[in-house]
Amino acid sequence: MALTGTSMTETGGVRAGYGVIEGPEPTDDMPSEVLPEGCHTIVLGVGDLNGILRGKRVTAEHWRSVRRRGISLDNTFFAMDVGSLLVPNDYSAADSGYPDLNILPRGPLRPIPWEDGVWMCLGRAQEKTGEPIPLDPRQPLLRAVEKARSMGLEPRAAGELEFYLLDPATGRPRENRPECYGLARAAELEPVLGPVRRNLAAMGVPVEQSNPEFSAGQVEVNLRHAPTLEAADHTLLLRGMIKQMVRPMGLVASFMAKPFHDRSGNGFHVHHSLWRDGRNAFATDGGLSDEGRWFLGGLQAAMRESSLVGSTHPNAYRRRKLYSYAPTSASWGVDNRTVALRVIDGEDAADDPIVRIESREAAADCNPYLLMAVQLAAGLKGIEQQIEPTRPTEGDAYAADNRRRLPTDLHEAMEAARASAFLEEALGPMMVDLLIRNAERELEIVESEVTPLELARYLEVM
């Protein structure tokens, strides 16, 4: 359950909001050789298959060498599961000897405000020969962005992520009473969320707003629109850095899709738009343009077969319940939170900058690069092939007779992914194979476990 924040100012008769304020273009260029004053440590990391930051901490004395040569990691880490075990794959197989790959610094150095003298830099993965890594989740998004640019379009995106703040001793929220959007609860959370917002801003991650969410202990943080590559970086950093920030405060931040059966799941909503010559290509007189409608049609057409990308683990499918604010069908509508694809439009041409499409299907624990890559590729295919969406859903999508049902479990999502030529084209066959193998492992682990609920229900009475 999320509201979209937009800073609105009048500029030449057109409201400036989503997508108009330009941030620095994401770059693979090396950061400066000269470190900020007082810097003694640089954190260099990238996101793995599950969007977990992995890398190394580098001393300032070693920075010049790392800037030139990168750091070396064995070639298994992109294919690690959530338990840091290697998921079998053809790239990092034992017969290769698990050789090194290189992570080179890219983009700006970012301060880590809660660690004095420590700065951070995201990395660019490559082989020793300079070739890209086929299992690097950022590669499909780079290709999708390049495709958009070849069509004369600049993609922009913004993430909204939900998560729980938990007591590490109990693994449960400390609050029992939900206060969705409650300002009293927001004030109680400010000693935690205030530093989170300010620290992320200092790191160049543009947070627009935060609020208590639908369930007790659940919060949401909304990011500002940015070029799509940068938006994925922002999401990766938000997840990784929030977890680090709240630990010293005596809390655990969990983006797990559905940690509690009796509370809301955690979603990852992505707002998309495409820009041409400084104008929103999705918009015409405040409504959805032809290109925007076709992009929507592409998203809708690919949603079922792409489900594995946004809901990677068995637990994620527990989110998909009726009246849960998580969609159960590949439906769309205008400003409708019961659908999977929510169109946000305006009243007239002055509102063109805010017109966008919000995809609400994914879980908060998926990989942001892979998710945005698949969604952008699907939308661009929609434009190329002029794919028309279905009729919009008006009112309750949960009650509608919608034949475009989304997978209800990981078995079903894997079947759809295996049959998808689109997914193989968007991500590459090796990445799709890794996602499926990872899902198979997670299913095996979860389905072989005897749960506490089963013991409590059956052990004594049977």
Side-chain angles (χ1 to χ4, degrees), residues 170-219:
T170 65
R172 301 280 301 183
R174 289 173 177 159
E175 302 87 4
N176 290 315
R177 187 181 72 257
E179 290 188 31
C180 185
Y181 300 134
L183 291 181
R185 177 60 52 80
E188 292 174 8
L189 290 170
E190 189 63 10
V192 177
L193 294 183
V196 163
R197 293 191 308 270
R198 292 189 292 274
N199 287 339
L200 287 172
M203 296 186 73
V205 179
V207 173
E208 283 199 336
Q209 56 196 20
S210 62
N211 60 272
E213 253 301 332
F214 193 71
S215 288
Q218 188 183 39
V219 298

Side-chain angles (χ1 to χ4, degrees), residues 230-259:
E230 193 175 352
D233 287 346
H234 293 163
T235 305
L236 180 77
L237 288 168
L238 182 148
R239 269 177 42 183
M241 296 299 102
I242 285 179
K243 294 181 78 68
Q244 291 184 27
M245 271 185 268
V246 304
R247 276 285 189 178
M249 302 176 189
L251 293 166
V252 170
S254 178
F255 294 82
M256 180 180 174
K258 183 71 171 175

